[in-house]
PDB file of all heavy atoms in Angstrom:
ATOM      1  N   THR A  22      66.029  82.711 201.001  1.00 83.00           N
ATOM      2  CA  THR A  22      67.312  83.241 200.538  1.00 83.00           C
ATOM      3  C   THR A  22      68.253  83.559 201.685  1.00 83.00           C
ATOM      4  O   THR A  22      69.464  83.442 201.551  1.00 83.00           O
ATOM      5  CB  THR A  22      67.092  84.503 199.685  1.00 83.00           C
ATOM      6  OG1 THR A  22      66.388  85.472 200.462  1.00 83.00           O
ATOM      7  CG2 THR A  22      66.316  84.189 198.425  1.00 83.00           C
ATOM      8  N   LYS A  23      67.719  83.955 202.839  1.00 86.00           N
ATOM      9  CA  LYS A  23      68.575  84.318 203.972  1.00 86.00           C
ATOM     10  C   LYS A  23      69.353  83.107 204.480  1.00 86.00           C
ATOM     11  O   LYS A  23      70.562  83.192 204.729  1.00 86.00           O
ATOM     12  CB  LYS A  23      67.738  84.924 205.091  1.00 86.00           C
ATOM     13  CG  LYS A  23      68.562  85.484 206.222  1.00 86.00           C
ATOM     14  CD  LYS A  23      67.695  86.195 207.237  1.00 86.00           C
ATOM     15  CE  LYS A  23      68.549  86.782 208.337  1.00 86.00           C
ATOM     16  NZ  LYS A  23      67.752  87.488 209.328  1.00 86.00           N
ATOM     17  N   LYS A  24      68.690  81.969 204.630  1.00 86.00           N
ATOM     18  CA  LYS A  24      69.374  80.761 205.085  1.00 86.00           C
ATOM     19  C   LYS A  24      70.386  80.282 204.057  1.00 86.00           C
ATOM     20  O   LYS A  24      71.477  79.836 204.415  1.00 86.00           O
ATOM     21  CB  LYS A  24      68.375  79.652 205.377  1.00 86.00           C
ATOM     22  CG  LYS A  24      67.612  79.836 206.668  1.00 86.00           C
ATOM     23  CD  LYS A  24      66.774  78.628 206.971  1.00 86.00           C
ATOM     24  CE  LYS A  24      66.008  78.816 208.255  1.00 86.00           C
ATOM     25  NZ  LYS A  24      65.178  77.655 208.563  1.00 86.00           N
ATOM     26  N   LEU A  25      70.035  80.359 202.779  1.00 84.00           N
ATOM     27  CA  LEU A  25      70.964  79.928 201.729  1.00 84.00           C
ATOM     28  C   LEU A  25      72.186  80.834 201.689  1.00 84.00           C
ATOM     29  O   LEU A  25      73.311  80.368 201.504  1.00 84.00           O
ATOM     30  CB  LEU A  25      70.267  79.904 200.374  1.00 84.00           C
ATOM     31  CG  LEU A  25      69.211  78.815 200.199  1.00 84.00           C
ATOM     32  CD1 LEU A  25      68.529  78.958 198.848  1.00 84.00           C
ATOM     33  CD2 LEU A  25      69.817  77.440 200.341  1.00 84.00           C
ATOM     34  N   ARG A  26      71.988  82.131 201.875  1.00 87.00           N
ATOM     35  CA  ARG A  26      73.100  83.075 201.892  1.00 87.00           C
ATOM     36  C   ARG A  26      74.007  82.795 203.088  1.00 87.00           C
ATOM     37  O   ARG A  26      75.237  82.816 202.985  1.00 87.00           O
ATOM     38  CB  ARG A  26      72.578  84.503 201.937  1.00 87.00           C
ATOM     39  CG  ARG A  26      73.648  85.544 201.686  1.00 87.00           C
ATOM     40  CD  ARG A  26      73.093  86.972 201.671  1.00 87.00           C
ATOM     41  NE  ARG A  26      71.870  87.098 200.906  1.00 87.00           N
ATOM     42  CZ  ARG A  26      70.735  87.623 201.404  1.00 87.00           C
ATOM     43  NH1 ARG A  26      70.671  88.058 202.631  1.00 87.00           N
ATOM     44  NH2 ARG A  26      69.666  87.701 200.644  1.00 87.00           N
ATOM     45  N   GLY A  27      73.412  82.529 204.237  1.00 90.00           N
ATOM     46  CA  GLY A  27      74.182  82.202 205.435  1.00 90.00           C
ATOM     47  C   GLY A  27      74.968  80.907 205.268  1.00 90.00           C
ATOM     48  O   GLY A  27      76.127  80.811 205.670  1.00 90.00           O
ATOM     49  N   ALA A  28      74.342  79.915 204.658  1.00 88.00           N
ATOM     50  CA  ALA A  28      75.028  78.643 204.432  1.00 88.00           C
ATOM     51  C   ALA A  28      76.188  78.826 203.457  1.00 88.00           C
ATOM     52  O   ALA A  28      77.256  78.236 203.630  1.00 88.00           O
ATOM     53  CB  ALA A  28      74.045  77.602 203.901  1.00 88.00           C
ATOM     54  N   GLY A  29      75.987  79.656 202.447  1.00 87.00           N
ATOM     55  CA  GLY A  29      77.069  79.939 201.502  1.00 87.00           C
ATOM     56  C   GLY A  29      78.230  80.649 202.172  1.00 87.00           C
ATOM     57  O   GLY A  29      79.395  80.342 201.911  1.00 87.00           O
ATOM     58  N   GLY A  30      77.934  81.582 203.059  1.00 90.00           N
ATOM     59  CA  GLY A  30      78.988  82.280 203.796  1.00 90.00           C
ATOM     60  C   GLY A  30      79.749  81.348 204.720  1.00 90.00           C
ATOM     61  O   GLY A  30      80.968  81.424 204.838  1.00 90.00           O
ATOM     62  N   ASP A  31      79.018  80.453 205.383  1.00 92.00           N
ATOM     63  CA  ASP A  31      79.663  79.470 206.266  1.00 92.00           C
ATOM     64  C   ASP A  31      80.567  78.539 205.466  1.00 92.00           C
ATOM     65  O   ASP A  31      81.679  78.216 205.904  1.00 92.00           O
ATOM     66  CB  ASP A  31      78.623  78.652 207.018  1.00 92.00           C
ATOM     67  CG  ASP A  31      77.853  79.471 208.046  1.00 92.00           C
ATOM     68  OD1 ASP A  31      78.338  80.569 208.401  1.00 92.00           O
ATOM     69  OD2 ASP A  31      76.782  79.016 208.479  1.00 92.00           O
ATOM     70  N   LEU A  32      80.092  78.116 204.318  1.00 92.00           N
ATOM     71  CA  LEU A  32      80.897  77.231 203.468  1.00 92.00           C
ATOM     72  C   LEU A  32      82.150  77.947 202.976  1.00 92.00           C
ATOM     73  O   LEU A  32      83.244  77.386 202.999  1.00 92.00           O
ATOM     74  CB  LEU A  32      80.073  76.736 202.275  1.00 92.00           C
ATOM     75  CG  LEU A  32      80.780  75.810 201.301  1.00 92.00           C
ATOM     76  CD1 LEU A  32      81.198  74.523 202.003  1.00 92.00           C
ATOM     77  CD2 LEU A  32      79.880  75.496 200.123  1.00 92.00           C
ATOM     78  N   GLY A  33      82.011  79.198 202.577  1.00 92.00           N
ATOM     79  CA  GLY A  33      83.165  79.979 202.138  1.00 92.00           C
ATOM     80  C   GLY A  33      84.185  80.168 203.256  1.00 92.00           C
ATOM     81  O   GLY A  33      85.392  80.060 203.039  1.00 92.00           O
TER      82      GLY A  33
END
Side-chain angles (χ1 to χ4, degrees):
T22 58
K23 187 174 182 179
K24 285 187 180 180
L25 291 176
R26 191 177 315 126
D31 292 343
L32 180 62

